[in-house]
Amino acid sequence: MPKDRSELPPVEDLLTAAVTGLGGVERPGQVKMAQAVGDAIESEEHLAVQAGTGTGKSLAYLVPAIRHAAESGDAVVVSTATIALQRQLVDRDLPRLADALESLLPHRPEFAILKGRRNYLCRHKMAAGMPEDEDDQLFDPREVSATGRMVQRIQDWANETETGDRDEIVPGVSDQAWRQFSVTARECLGAQRCPSGADCFAELARERAGEADVVVTNHALLAIDAMEDFAVLPEHDVVVVDEAHELVDRVTSVVTGELSESTVSLAVRRAGRLVEQGVADRLQEAGEDLRALLAVAPPGRVDTLPQSLGMTLALVRDAAFACITALGPRNKDKDDPENAGLRKAAFTTLDEVHDTAQRMLDAFGPAAGGDGAGDDEDVDSPGSRDSASARDSASSGGANGGGTDARSEEVHRAEVVWLEEGRGRIPPTLRVAPLSVGGMLRDKLFGDRTVVLTSATLALGGTFDSLSRQWGLRAGEWTGLDVGSPFDHPRRGILYVATHLPQPGRDGLPEAYVDEIAELIEAAGGRTLGLFSSMRAAKAATEALLERLDVPLLCQGDDSTSQLVKQFAGDPATCLFGTLSLWQGVDVPGPSLTLVIIDRIPFPRPDDPLASARQRHVAATGGNGFMAVAATHAALLLAQGAGRLLRSMDDRGVVAVLDPRLATARYSGFLLNSLPPFWRTTDPAKVREALRRLTADA
């Protein structure tokens, strides 16, 4: 073991030791990627790496990351989009890697997983017995009883857990039950003020992360750490973003604000315990006005601000600020922890209501925003964090798709507002989001650290340009590298485009598509993953084929997705149909998956408020909105869906796209160049014969 950092072996030697220790074989793409990641860290240059399935990209970035941590003494943050990859890294890859590299490094590599504070049990909230925030009148007795049983399970588990991590509870518990025992980062009193601060599970997790060489987190927490005033992650100068194709969507979710009857009512319940009734009633009345207005408003993007909506948002904003003012100084109860916890929760919810209402008004320009009571820079005011973020986005080139159709309006506005219709217990909800998070990422994430972005799908249309623009990276600030894939795609897979079928319409799944699916599945003997653009299409296909085929058919929604995938993988004759989460979340190597069927090119819905606003903004600034937004979205999902086919070196099969536009439309070249280089055909007879041969050989 080296005694000091100057004796560290080069990345190549460490990678060889790691692969040998794990019983694997080095692959050219893996070596090339590890060298590039090491060089990027050394030169402090951002790097985007496309590494196909089977490359071994986790080792390719973990080895240089660990070497840098050992050399610099600083942690490296690895961010993923999915819990599955987080668990794979922490439970499998990193422990084995630490064993393999221990003798070559000054100390055994340490690692930790860090999640958002909401994922950890709050000892103070549990001990203080803070009042329940939920309005039980919204739930029927059976649901209340089920929640009560979950609450009891959490209380029993709380006496045994050493981490307080919600994911330890199996089977899981509902959000409604868990909220009674957790707080958000903004609701937290802080370790110094909280009576349970010394034993806080979230703080203990942060302490462990602070001592680690590699900290594994998720894109949402990475975004919060980069954009908030308070630090969430330990000090770090290098970030590796795995599953980087999802970064923009995850960051957009973090900075999306929402306003509904439920959010206002929660603020009223929290504030009502601490301020005069008349002040809380004012906010309650504003919330009721909002509820009545949203109940009759059409869902979709809000292009222009109706006077009634503008007045109601201003009422909500001002009533929330009145409650904030009535609460008094924020640190008034620093010596009364129980009351301080209630006040912090009230401040947090009121701030969110106030700031979101102000953001929505600001989205339509200064005249709509007005001079709200919360605009003064007072030490006890909620500030305008989100509105400031919107202005930052505007200065970096973002714009609001709402407002008028005038080109100047499109160019200068930063956010879009839309209404989502209510479903079940969820009331109609207004949302606001930036049209671009590129400016935020450029300033907050890429600004003062080295970032490595990697995924099996980054080069869309054959280049990294589409995603680099979304990330806010400019030419000369980053390097792109495609290390390829160890799979021989032309020899192991076929891309079949059914050009003889009609173009898909809006009236559900065409009968010709059902016939085509049936013929393909019969030739494959089951073994089929059906990826559909909507749940309606997936269910329609399942119902139409249940009696027509002699193979088991599973449809997403019949059981938990993980259980359905397990059943699918366990029986080669089984078929699994589903939608979005299956496009990116299925890893089934072996004979159980021989055929991937994609019903249509997965363009965003025409009425998708954010995608349509972004598309219109690009067009208003002189670009091709369809290619920049809709085609890029479709290319990314198509590549992810097609990537389900080959998951091991022995896999073979067919990706069948039923939408003829993939071969005939003017944009088809861009989409095809985003896919793995399978052998291509439009001949259905050849494909069915190939599937029969594969089935016979299985």
Side-chain angles (χ1 to χ4, degrees), residues 579-599:
T579 184
L580 188 59
S581 63
L582 297 186
W583 286 72
Q584 304 185 78
V586 175
D587 185 9
V588 180
S592 291
L593 204 171
T594 301
L595 172 63
V596 175
I597 295 177
I598 296 174
D599 71 327

Side-chain angles (χ1 to χ4, degrees), residues 1-16:
M1 178 180 294
K3 299 299 182 183
D4 60 56
R5 295 167 181 169
S6 64
E7 301 176 10
L8 289 175
V11 167
E12 294 81 0
D13 292 353
L14 290 174
L15 180 63
T16 297

